[in-house]
Amino acid sequence: MSSLENVIAAETRLSEVDGLNGRLVICGHSLDALAGQKSFEAVLALLLPDVLSTSEEAVRAELAQARLRAFREVARLDTDLVSLSVTEALRALMARLPDGEDKSVALLQIAAPAVFVPALIRERAGQKPIPPHTGRSHAADMLAMLTGNQPVEEQIRALDIYLVTVSDHGLNASTFTARVVASTRAGYASAVLAALGALKGPLHGGAPGPVLDMLDAVATPDNATAWLAGEISRGERLMGFGHRIYRVRDPRADALKTALNRLGAAGGMDIDRLALAEAVERAALAALRAAKPDRVLETNVEFFTALLLEALGFPRDAFTGVFAAGRVGGWIAHAHEQIETGRLIRPQSVYVGPKAA
Ligand code: ACO
């Protein structure tokens, strides 16, 4: 009860997470029909037809303009902010953006993480932030702002698939947070800021950084079984495995694995790293099956997120921020949907404290 498990807290037209069959549907399209088939901008048009434009091209142009607006905030970066982790600095920067419930606020919120994350990574590395370019797609521009170079097609495709794959996922912790805040009519910026806080936790969007820590600690495929057994015997959770809703494999893990394999085939991924990850995945699934035979614990989205974002050149402390760059579409769409209901979210609690004298 304390985790609201199985409680229905909203009706949504945005996404359906079918945990028994391992299927994710976003606005009537299964993930298979979206990842690698439709761009992030096209998915935003599906998620937010009443707020943004309804065509991919128009959303692409609107989002590009919003990236330019977000970049103005980068000029105000100071050393205190840059010394924070990328995720915490992103939260601080997002807090400076204007609030409200109109289209321009929504667009700026959706654009900003893709601009702030690369700028923060570069500043922390002592490099000058690269301004956005309106001629590029959102994914291509995010990569160009990270490296200063024109990304190759397979890299753009991989990041675009990632942004689409994580764009929305039912009433997960951060999306629920966004809906609660939006229901108070605080505005999109407040809803996104609160959601960002929820996303940061390792049980939600903060897992991919620790996935790489795990791969580093395992170091060689031969070591995987013994290392993972040690973690499980100490009662540790294996990052990138298990899910509250999925009782089978997370379909997002497969979408990202396919993208990773393509990136590997195009030379954009260290093949030894991929082999290590596959050995760790196999050993982890075997160890989890042995430790929890009554509960299906499968690979979740975060495992392959870690490898994909690493291969694209993002440092691990920025992974949650890149996740936010995709999920922000879902947050704003849910915030909008909640505002449309006109109802404040206000559940009740059962008092179990001492009786009043
Ligand atoms: N490693 C080891 N044991 C696990 C794991 C794991 N990754 N996941 C669950 N378990 C164990 C639990 O400790 C629990 O054991 P117990 O019954 O002895 O207490 C049992 O399996 C059942 O757990 P659930 O109730 O299914 O787990 P819950 O729904 O509470 O948690 C969660 C889901 C938080 C995702 C969990 O699986 C976990 O901590 N995974 C690791 C972190 C992670 O990968 N997070 C990203 C999730 S995806 C996302 O949010 C984008």
Side-chain angles (χ1 to χ4, degrees):
M1 184 195 201
S2 58
S3 65
L4 297 184
E5 218 161 322
N6 298 324
V7 172
I8 308 288
E11 278 184 3
T12 182
R13 52 162 286 280
L14 300 169
S15 60
E16 182 186 25
V17 182
D18 179 347
L20 291 180
N21 297 304
R23 194 151 185 263
L24 168 62
V25 172
I26 298 176
C27 299
H29 303 264
S30 83
L31 180 60
D32 303 343
L34 294 176
Q37 312 291 326
K38 285 199 185 290
S39 69
F40 181 58
E41 286 88 338
V43 173
L44 288 175
L46 292 173
L47 286 168
L48 285 152
D50 311 338
V51 177
L52 309 182
S53 297
T54 48
S55 82
E56 175 184 5
E57 294 69 30
V59 171
R60 183 173 158 140
E62 290 171 344
L63 202 55
Q65 288 302 324
R67 287 197 300 277
L68 290 179
R69 279 200 287 145
F71 191 72
R72 285 186 214 134
E73 204 57 46
V74 169
R76 295 176 55 210
L77 275 177
D78 52 63
T79 41
D80 283 352
L81 216 141
V82 172
S83 67
L84 297 172
S85 72
V86 173
T87 305
E88 299 204 336
L90 171 66
R91 196 181 53 191
L93 268 180
M94 295 294 287
R96 293 176 173 177
L97 299 179
D99 212 344
E101 294 178 348
D102 56 38
K103 179 174 176 174
S104 76
V105 171
L107 273 167
L108 189 57
Q109 287 293 316
I110 296 171
V115 175
F116 292 166
V117 169
L120 287 164
I121 294 169
R122 292 185 67 86
E123 282 281 359
R124 283 165 60 81
Q127 298 166 323
K128 217 166 153 323
I130 311 274
H133 191 296
T134 52
R136 296 193 183 106
S137 72
H138 202 58
D141 212 15
M142 193 171 179
L143 288 170
M145 286 187 276
L146 177 68
T147 63
N149 302 319
Q150 175 62 32
V152 301
E153 213 37 62
E154 275 312 323
Q155 292 172 318
I156 299 170
R157 186 184 152 84
L159 184 59
D160 195 51
I161 288 177
Y162 173 73
L163 296 175
V164 165
T165 298
V166 302
S167 61
D168 198 42
H169 200 242
L171 214 52
N172 59 85
S174 56
T175 300
F176 181 54
T177 305
R179 285 190 83 120
V180 170
V181 175
S183 83
T184 71
R185 307 302 303 269
Y188 290 137
S190 296
V192 167
L193 202 55
L196 206 48
L199 189 72
K200 183 184 146 201
L203 300 192
H204 186 18
V211 167
L212 291 191
D213 298 340
M214 173 171 74
L215 294 187
D216 291 347
V218 172
T220 63
D222 299 351
N223 200 21
T225 302
W227 191 90
L228 293 164
E231 289 294 292
I232 296 226
S233 67
R234 278 192 296 280
E236 299 289 343
R237 290 192 174 202
L238 304 182
M239 292 294 135
F241 297 91
H243 198 270
R244 173 58 62 81
I245 306 292
Y246 290 119
R247 291 296 174 261
V248 290
R249 198 173 163 83
D250 181 339
R252 299 169 301 171
D254 288 328
L256 297 187
K257 192 172 184 181
T258 306
L260 252 180
N261 285 333
R262 275 187 72 137
L263 200 57
M269 163 92 212
D270 174 355
I271 296 302
D272 290 344
R273 191 73 163 157
L274 200 52
L276 172 64
E278 280 169 357
V280 168
E281 187 189 16
R282 269 194 307 277
L285 293 175
L288 289 168
R289 264 175 219 134
K292 308 275 171 203
D294 303 332
R295 170 73 172 95
V296 180
L297 295 170
E298 278 282 350
T299 316
N300 68 41
V301 64
E302 301 287 48
F303 189 77
F304 291 110
T305 291
L307 289 148
L308 190 79
L309 298 188
E310 182 184 52
L312 291 175
F314 290 98
R316 60 191 76 178
D317 84 331
F319 289 176
T320 308
V322 187
F323 191 163
R327 182 55 59 84
V328 69
W331 290 338
I332 297 281
H334 277 269
H336 175 69
E337 197 176 57
Q338 185 61 40
I339 292 165
E340 293 284 285
T341 70
R343 294 292 291 174
L344 173 74
I345 297 179
R346 203 304 185 190
Q348 294 203 46
S349 48
V350 176
Y351 179 67
V352 295
K355 294 247 182 304

